[in-house]
Amino acid sequence: MTALTAPTGPAAAGSRAGRPHLVRWLLRLHRPALYVWAGLVLVLAAGLLWLWGPLADASASAWRQYSACGMSPRCSYDQDAIVRYKDVYNYTTLALNALPLLVGAWAGGSLFGRELESGTARLAWAQGVTPARWLATRLAVPAALVAVGTGLLVLLHNRAWSAARGRVDTAKGWTDTWTLHANGPTTVAVALAALAAGALAALLWRRTLPALVTGLCAAAALRGVAGLVLPHMWPAVTRVTTLEQGYAGGGLPLGHGLVTATGAHVADPGCASPDPGACASAYAKLHATGFYTQSQPFSHFWPLHLATSALVLVLAGLLAWAAFSVLRRGTRLAAPLRKGAGA
């Protein structure tokens, strides 16, 4: 691992008068990425606004036409409107879920990796910018842009989904994996954590391609962690039903099983016999009196998202702290090398 070099002494002191404006320099250096990000946000925002208004109304009208047909063999309804809504919804939802992966790859490959590999970072340090200030600026400015852009898209997606809820028969339920995260702030939190992960990857590799791949994989891992922990970030609701009623449906399922005569919850043996008497006999041996279902209702949507987002933001803070620690250690190791070279 090669040491990161930062100027000290007279060279750094003499360049403080001509110290560059870091934010302006950063935006100029990464202007293409800024344009791509702005264009991507605008295109997705336009698609979500279209989905929220005209597409949802047209699809809802088509479904009303279809429902009014009954069993008529000559049913006339706007099938294109239904298909168009479904396609645009799927594309925009998947794109929004993919944004954190793009942020992680860009942070590792271009924002940090390329600058460290090409020596642009050392050029900034040679002009009186401390490594810590350099890193802080390259984290803070993109973080603000990522948070604003992703937050706007999440808000629009939530509104577009709500506009079709109960009106479009093929609309995704709130528990759908891609819809669940596109509708809430966890996507924003994962994108910010991916930015910090990309920075750490670049500081560890100091090479563009490995840092890009590592940032992408880290973003995917963070998204996976958020998906796994979200259902468990708020106390679940337990519903008990009789054996005749069967399991209760609805919500984000977490677990289910049998309730015994003593009130204990035991695993369901999974009776698959077509004979109702055989299933009743199996349940009788376990002294089962009903079923229980643990799930998260829709009323827990925001508590689940806010708690998960807080956890992911803590991870983002830890990744940023690790990036500063790696940078500090690298520049500290470089000091003896410079002294030895000067001697």
Side-chain angles (χ1 to χ4, degrees):
M1 180 181 293
T2 57
L4 298 168
T5 57
T8 57
S15 61
R16 287 192 182 115
R19 179 177 295 172
H21 194 288
L22 281 182
V23 175
R24 189 183 304 120
W25 190 5
L26 174 64
L27 295 177
R28 182 180 302 172
L29 186 62
H30 295 278
R31 188 179 302 167
L34 178 62
Y35 290 159
V36 170
W37 176 252
L40 185 59
V41 170
L42 288 175
V43 169
L44 287 177
L48 290 170
L49 288 172
W50 188 28
L51 198 68
W52 182 0
L55 286 184
D57 293 340
S59 183
S61 176
W63 277 109
R64 286 195 301 269
Q65 295 169 5
Y66 179 80
S67 299
C69 289
M71 301 298 293
S72 173
R74 296 182 179 179
C75 182
S76 177
Y77 65 98
D78 190 356
Q79 185 178 14
D80 291 341
I82 294 175
V83 174
R84 190 180 304 115
Y85 175 88
K86 183 178 180 180
D87 288 343
V88 174
Y89 182 88
N90 288 336
Y91 294 147
T92 53
T93 302
L94 291 176
L96 186 50
N97 276 273
L99 284 184
L101 278 66
L102 296 179
V103 171
W106 171 72
S110 178
L111 181 61
F112 292 99
R114 187 175 62 183
E115 292 197 29
L116 290 167
E117 185 176 18
S118 65
T120 307
R122 288 189 291 272
L123 176 62
W125 301 342
Q127 295 185 7
V129 177
T130 64
R133 184 165 171 249
W134 172 86
L135 178 57
T137 303
R138 272 156 179 73
L139 283 174
V141 176
L145 296 174
V146 167
V148 171
T150 311
L152 173 63
L153 294 176
V154 165
L155 176 62
L156 291 177
H157 189 281
N158 188 287
R159 294 298 86 205
W161 174 83
S162 299
R165 187 184 179 203
R167 300 171 61 207
V168 177
D169 289 11
T170 53
K172 297 288 187 180
W174 75 276
T175 58
D176 173 71
T177 299
W178 306 113
T179 298
L180 178 61
H181 289 275
N183 269 349
T186 54
T187 297
V188 182
V190 172
L192 294 175
L195 177 67
L200 177 59
L203 287 165
L204 289 172
W205 285 106
R206 292 192 294 284
R207 292 168 55 199
T208 303
L209 186 58
L212 184 152
V213 174
T214 304
L216 178 64
C217 293
L222 288 166
R223 171 62 177 80
V225 169
L228 288 174
V229 304
L230 185 143
H232 307 281
M233 293 300 291
W234 201 255
V237 172
T238 301
R239 297 177 61 186
V240 177
T241 54
T242 65
L243 294 175
E244 292 75 19
Q245 291 174 321
Y247 284 109
L252 189 63
L254 294 179
H256 64 274
L258 298 175
V259 180
T260 67
T262 61
H265 291 180
V266 299
D268 189 338
C271 177
S273 173
D275 181 11
C279 290
S281 175
Y283 291 150
K285 291 179 180 179
L286 296 172
H287 305 289
T289 59
F291 299 102
Y292 77 90
T293 304
Q294 290 182 331
S295 63
Q296 298 286 3
F298 181 65
S299 59
H300 289 185
F301 175 85
W302 286 109
L304 288 170
H305 265 284
L306 294 176
T308 305
S309 298
L311 175 63
V312 175
L313 289 176
V314 169
L315 291 177
L318 292 175
L319 289 168
W321 172 82
F324 277 100
S325 298
V326 171
L327 179 65
R328 191 182 308 113
R329 180 175 179 272
T331 53
R332 187 181 300 130
L333 289 174
L337 296 178
R338 289 194 300 273
K339 290 180 181 179

